[in-house]
Amino acid sequence: MKNIMIAGAGVLGSQIAYQTALSGFNVSVYNHHIDTAERRIKALKSDYERDLHLTDKEFQQGLDNIKVITDDIATAVKDADLMIEALPESLELKEQFYEEVSGLAPEKTIFASNSSTFIPSQLASYTDRPEKFLNMHFANQIWKFNVVEIMGTSQTNPEVIEEATKFAREIRMVPVILNKEQHGYILNSLLIPLLASGLSLWAKGVADPAMIDKDWMISTGAPMGPFGILDMVGLRTAAQIERNAYAQTKDESHKEIADKMEQMIQEGHEGKESGQGFYNYPHPAFMDPDFLKH
């Protein structure tokens, strides 16, 4: 593999694109809004300089490997050995994308989804290459929390799993290979119940987000609580997951939570990236040394 296409330059898509480019691959990025994609990728500079101690020159070398950022799928995928889809968690949107990209991608191209909600067998049927389809799920802040969960279907060629595993190591990730399909993979099977419980406590008025986080952080020694994590993930993604859960279960509590987050989003409180979510950034209250003392 040498040429990698990233479809979607949201919070994780932009990270996957830059991490791949920094590791020496030629990267093309597909995103509806080119300027937004460019801004998100360049905004990673401070994180990489702080956490990985990259120099300005080293960060620029990564940017130089991003050969094209485009709103045209055909241009982005024309030479791709691997395409990683990181679009919003909408099954309808993903179906439309995969049907279009299938007719444009070279025969060699492996398709991977970063979906946190949908298992690969739900998406592979939208493509012309189910034997070359799998999920590659990255944790947020991938330069620091460098795990990628790899999950295929019963149709996925074992050699494709091997190729994805090799690629993961080459971009400095630790591959975690799942033996069978599992909604939520490993990470989210453990994390989502925590976030859902926190959101439920908030929606019911049991306690405010800061108090819930404070309890969790003091009691477990965790570096952040569920609402700090939600800000990092982004409220748009979290709200979409709650809407998906309501569509599947018709449980009104999911709708109530989604509506409350939607109100925050409409007010511009989308999480860390927008500067405000449940906390204000770049200096959220839970990072204050006194947060856990009182």
Side-chain angles (χ1 to χ4, degrees), residues 199 202 234-243 254-270 278:
L199 286 168
W202 168 59
L235 268 65
R236 287 190 180 275
T237 297
Q240 184 64 56
I241 290 172
E242 287 295 324
R243 284 193 288 269
H254 292 298
K255 183 178 185 301
E256 180 183 0
I257 292 168
D259 288 346
K260 284 175 71 72
M261 283 194 287
E262 192 63 46
Q263 182 178 348
M264 293 177 64
I265 291 166
Q266 290 174 2
E267 294 170 355
H269 304 168
E270 300 180 13
F278 291 101

Side-chain angles (χ1 to χ4, degrees), residues 44-61:
L44 294 168
K45 186 173 185 286
S46 60
D47 294 315
Y48 274 80
E49 289 182 345
R50 180 190 66 242
D51 295 333
L52 299 186
H53 310 295
L54 259 62
T55 64
D56 289 349
K57 181 180 179 181
E58 289 169 333
F59 187 82
Q60 185 60 46
Q61 287 172 341

Side-chain angles (χ1 to χ4, degrees), residues 25 60 63 87-88 91 93 97-98 100-101 104 106 127 133 153 157 166 187-188 194-195 207 216 221 224 239 289:
F25 291 86
Q60 185 60 46
L63 290 180
L87 298 174
L91 195 58
L93 178 65
F97 169 77
Y98 280 116
E100 183 172 359
V101 77
L104 299 170
T127 78
F133 192 92
T153 74
N157 189 321
K166 179 183 177 185
L187 173 61
N188 283 341
L194 169 66
L195 301 184
W216 180 256
M224 65 178 68

Side-chain angles (χ1 to χ4, degrees), residues 11 14-15 18 40-54 59 140-144 272:
V11 172
S14 58
Q15 294 177 23
Y18 183 75
R40 281 180 171 146
I41 292 168
K42 290 178 180 178
L44 294 168
K45 186 173 185 286
S46 60
D47 294 315
Y48 274 80
E49 289 182 345
R50 180 190 66 242
D51 295 333
L52 299 186
H53 310 295
L54 259 62
F59 187 82
N140 199 7
Q141 298 187 19
I142 69 173
W143 64 90
K144 183 165 57 173
K272 181 181 177 182

Side-chain angles (χ1 to χ4, degrees), residues 124-229:
S125 61
Y126 302 142
T127 78
D128 63 346
R129 60 197 75 194
E131 75 286 351
K132 291 183 178 178
F133 192 92
L134 73 164
N135 280 17
M136 297 182 69
H137 182 244
F138 294 79
N140 199 7
Q141 298 187 19
I142 69 173
W143 64 90
K144 183 165 57 173
F145 306 123
N146 60 325
V147 163
V148 58
E149 298 171 302
I150 297 173
M151 178 166 58
T153 74
S154 59
Q155 293 179 283
T156 307
N157 189 321
E159 292 182 0
V160 170
I161 300 289
E162 292 176 9
E163 286 285 337
T165 301
K166 179 183 177 185
F167 168 74
R169 292 194 173 107
E170 288 176 339
I171 64 168
R172 310 171 201 183
M173 298 292 108
V174 176
V176 174
I177 302 167
L178 278 70
N179 297 324
K180 61 188 295 186
E181 291 188 272
Q182 165 66 33
H183 283 280
Y185 309 83
I186 295 171
L187 173 61
N188 283 341
S189 291
L190 298 169
L191 178 61
I192 293 299
L194 169 66
L195 301 184
S197 294
L199 286 168
S200 178
L201 290 168
W202 168 59
K204 292 176 180 177
V206 174
D208 62 47
M211 196 62 66
I212 294 167
D213 278 3
K214 185 177 296 190
D215 191 333
W216 180 256
M217 291 167 69
I218 294 174
S219 299
T220 66
M224 65 178 68
F227 292 94
I229 295 171

Side-chain angles (χ1 to χ4, degrees), residues 82-144:
L82 170 67
M83 186 281 298
I84 301 176
E85 172 266 310
L87 298 174
E89 293 294 79
S90 162
L91 195 58
E92 182 180 2
L93 178 65
K94 291 180 189 291
E95 178 181 3
Q96 180 181 357
F97 169 77
Y98 280 116
E99 289 177 349
E100 183 172 359
V101 77
S102 290
L104 299 170
E107 183 180 347
K108 67 176 181 177
T109 309
I110 293 171
F111 287 179
S113 176
N114 179 59
S115 176
S116 58
T117 303
F118 306 112
I119 56 177
S121 60
Q122 290 178 276
L123 304 173
S125 61
Y126 302 142
T127 78
D128 63 346
R129 60 197 75 194
E131 75 286 351
K132 291 183 178 178
F133 192 92
L134 73 164
N135 280 17
M136 297 182 69
H137 182 244
F138 294 79
N140 199 7
Q141 298 187 19
I142 69 173
W143 64 90
K144 183 165 57 173

